[in-house]
Amino acid sequence: MKVGCALAAILLAPSMVAAQACIAVFPGGKQVESARYSVGFRTQPERVAVGKHFSVELAVCPKAGAQPPESVRVDAHMPEHRHGMNYKAEVVAAPGGRYRAEGLMFHMPGRWEFIFDVRSGGRTDRLTHPLVLE
Ligand SMILES: [Cu+2]
Protein backbone atom coordinates (compact mmCIF):
# COMPACT_ATOMS: atom_id res chain seq x y z
CA MET A 1 0.00 0.00 0.00
CA LYS A 2 2.96 2.29 0.49
CA VAL A 3 3.68 1.81 -3.20
CA GLY A 4 0.11 2.82 -3.98
CA CYS A 5 0.46 5.97 -1.90
CA ALA A 6 3.74 6.92 -3.54
CA LEU A 7 2.42 6.34 -7.03
CA ALA A 8 -0.68 8.31 -6.27
CA ALA A 9 1.35 11.20 -4.95
CA ILE A 10 3.29 11.33 -8.18
CA LEU A 11 0.37 10.95 -10.54
CA LEU A 12 -2.36 13.08 -9.00
CA ALA A 13 -3.25 15.78 -6.51
CA PRO A 14 -1.35 14.57 -3.46
CA SER A 15 -3.65 15.12 -0.51
CA MET A 16 -6.71 13.85 -2.32
CA VAL A 17 -5.02 10.74 -3.57
CA ALA A 18 -3.21 9.91 -0.38
CA ALA A 19 -6.60 10.09 1.30
CA GLN A 20 -8.17 7.77 -1.24
CA ALA A 21 -5.28 5.36 -1.09
CA CYS A 22 -5.50 5.18 2.66
CA ILE A 23 -9.24 4.66 2.78
CA ALA A 24 -9.07 2.05 0.05
CA VAL A 25 -6.89 -0.05 2.34
CA PHE A 26 -9.84 -0.76 4.62
CA PRO A 27 -13.15 -0.59 2.79
CA GLY A 28 -15.77 0.71 5.17
CA GLY A 29 -13.07 2.06 7.47
CA LYS A 30 -12.65 5.56 8.83
CA GLN A 31 -10.23 8.23 7.75
CA VAL A 32 -8.43 11.06 9.54
CA GLU A 33 -6.12 13.74 8.19
CA SER A 34 -3.28 15.86 9.48
CA ALA A 35 -1.03 18.27 7.61
CA ARG A 36 1.42 15.52 6.76
CA TYR A 37 -0.50 12.24 6.95
CA SER A 38 -3.69 10.45 6.09
CA VAL A 39 -4.62 7.61 8.39
CA GLY A 40 -7.18 5.01 7.39
CA PHE A 41 -8.30 2.66 10.12
CA ARG A 42 -10.89 0.17 11.27
CA THR A 43 -11.56 -1.62 14.50
CA GLN A 44 -11.61 -5.36 14.92
CA PRO A 45 -14.24 -6.44 15.65
CA GLU A 46 -16.00 -3.74 13.70
CA ARG A 47 -18.43 -3.11 16.55
CA VAL A 48 -16.63 -2.14 19.74
CA ALA A 49 -18.32 -3.31 22.96
CA VAL A 50 -17.94 -1.91 26.47
CA GLY A 51 -15.39 -3.86 28.47
CA LYS A 52 -14.19 -6.02 25.56
CA HIS A 53 -10.69 -5.94 24.13
CA PHE A 54 -10.40 -4.94 20.50
CA SER A 55 -7.75 -4.12 17.91
CA VAL A 56 -7.27 -1.28 15.46
CA GLU A 57 -5.80 -1.83 12.02
CA LEU A 58 -4.41 1.30 10.44
CA ALA A 59 -2.61 2.47 7.34
CA VAL A 60 -0.50 5.62 7.49
CA CYS A 61 -0.02 7.39 4.15
CA PRO A 62 2.44 10.31 3.99
CA LYS A 63 1.21 13.26 1.97
CA ALA A 64 3.40 14.87 -0.69
CA GLY A 65 6.77 15.87 0.77
CA ALA A 66 6.24 13.97 4.04
CA GLN A 67 8.52 11.17 5.17
CA PRO A 68 7.23 7.74 6.18
CA PRO A 69 6.53 7.73 9.92
CA GLU A 70 9.33 6.85 12.34
CA SER A 71 6.82 5.73 14.93
CA VAL A 72 3.07 5.43 15.37
CA ARG A 73 1.27 5.43 18.69
CA VAL A 74 -2.39 4.55 19.20
CA ASP A 75 -4.32 5.60 22.28
CA ALA A 76 -7.83 6.66 23.25
CA HIS A 77 -9.46 8.81 25.88
CA MET A 78 -12.79 10.27 26.97
CA PRO A 79 -12.37 14.03 26.60
CA GLU A 80 -15.40 14.93 28.75
CA HIS A 81 -14.28 12.62 31.55
CA ARG A 82 -10.60 13.46 31.27
CA HIS A 83 -9.41 9.90 31.47
CA GLY A 84 -7.86 7.40 29.14
CA MET A 85 -8.06 3.65 28.85
CA ASN A 86 -7.01 1.28 31.59
CA TYR A 87 -4.85 -0.53 29.06
CA LYS A 88 -1.98 0.58 26.89
CA ALA A 89 -2.29 -0.40 23.25
CA GLU A 90 0.67 -2.13 21.66
CA VAL A 91 1.39 -1.11 18.08
CA VAL A 92 3.04 -3.54 15.69
CA ALA A 93 4.19 -2.43 12.24
CA ALA A 94 3.20 -4.49 9.22
CA PRO A 95 4.47 -4.17 5.65
CA GLY A 96 3.17 -1.43 3.38
CA GLY A 97 2.68 1.36 5.90
CA ARG A 98 0.23 -0.67 7.92
CA TYR A 99 0.05 -1.03 11.66
CA ARG A 100 -1.95 -3.06 14.10
CA ALA A 101 -2.75 -1.83 17.59
CA GLU A 102 -3.72 -4.55 20.03
CA GLY A 103 -5.17 -4.59 23.49
CA LEU A 104 -7.47 -1.58 23.48
CA MET A 105 -10.51 -1.59 25.74
CA PHE A 106 -13.20 1.00 26.36
CA HIS A 107 -14.31 0.31 29.92
CA MET A 108 -17.37 2.57 29.95
CA PRO A 109 -20.04 3.88 27.56
CA GLY A 110 -19.91 7.44 26.27
CA ARG A 111 -17.81 9.47 23.86
CA TRP A 112 -14.34 8.18 23.29
CA GLU A 113 -11.72 9.58 21.00
CA PHE A 114 -9.05 7.62 19.19
CA ILE A 115 -5.63 9.28 19.19
CA PHE A 116 -3.06 8.51 16.51
CA ASP A 117 0.35 10.05 17.07
CA VAL A 118 2.48 9.86 13.95
CA ARG A 119 6.08 10.89 14.51
CA SER A 120 8.73 11.83 11.98
CA GLY A 121 11.42 14.47 11.60
CA GLY A 122 11.25 15.48 15.25
CA ARG A 123 7.56 16.35 15.10
CA THR A 124 4.36 14.53 16.01
CA ASP A 125 1.12 14.80 14.05
CA ARG A 126 -1.82 14.02 16.33
CA LEU A 127 -4.92 12.75 14.58
CA THR A 128 -8.14 12.03 16.46
CA HIS A 129 -11.46 10.42 15.66
CA PRO A 130 -14.52 10.11 17.91
CA LEU A 131 -16.46 6.97 18.70
CA VAL A 132 -19.61 7.02 20.81
CA LEU A 133 -20.15 3.81 22.72
CA GLU A 134 -23.62 2.90 23.97
CU1 LIG B 1 -15.41 7.99 31.11
Side-chain angles (χ1 to χ4, degrees):
M1 289 308 157
K2 190 182 278 177
V3 172
C5 290
L7 260 184
I10 293 163
L11 295 175
L12 293 157
S15 59
M16 194 178 121
V17 170
Q20 286 174 348
C22 251
I23 208 163
V25 174
F26 304 121
K30 303 278 194 260
Q31 168 114 5
V32 278
E33 305 282 336
S34 73
R36 297 187 295 163
Y37 297 97
S38 295
V39 173
F41 74 99
R42 69 175 171 199
T43 61
Q44 229 179 27
E46 189 181 335
R47 189 181 170 85
V48 175
V50 175
K52 301 271 193 205
H53 279 292
F54 66 96
S55 305
V56 175
E57 289 180 292
L58 57 157
V60 180
C61 295
K63 294 183 177 179
Q67 296 300 309
E70 287 152 22
S71 70
V72 173
R73 208 173 65 94
V74 178
D75 201 356
H77 67 154
M78 297 187 85
E80 283 83 16
H81 297 179
R82 296 165 184 266
H83 66 72
M85 296 186 295
N86 293 333
Y87 295 85
K88 187 169 157 49
E90 186 167 336
V91 180
V92 180
R98 291 191 184 204
Y99 299 83
R100 183 178 175 84
E102 308 245 11
L104 293 91
M105 186 201 279
F106 293 170
H107 57 271
M108 62 183 289
R111 194 172 81 89
W112 289 83
E113 201 171 65
F114 287 106
I115 301 168
F116 304 103
D117 283 335
V118 182
R119 186 157 184 84
S120 74
R123 284 194 293 147
T124 300
D125 285 31
R126 172 160 287 194
L127 303 85
T128 63
H129 195 278
L131 186 142
V132 176
L133 207 57
E134 298 182 359

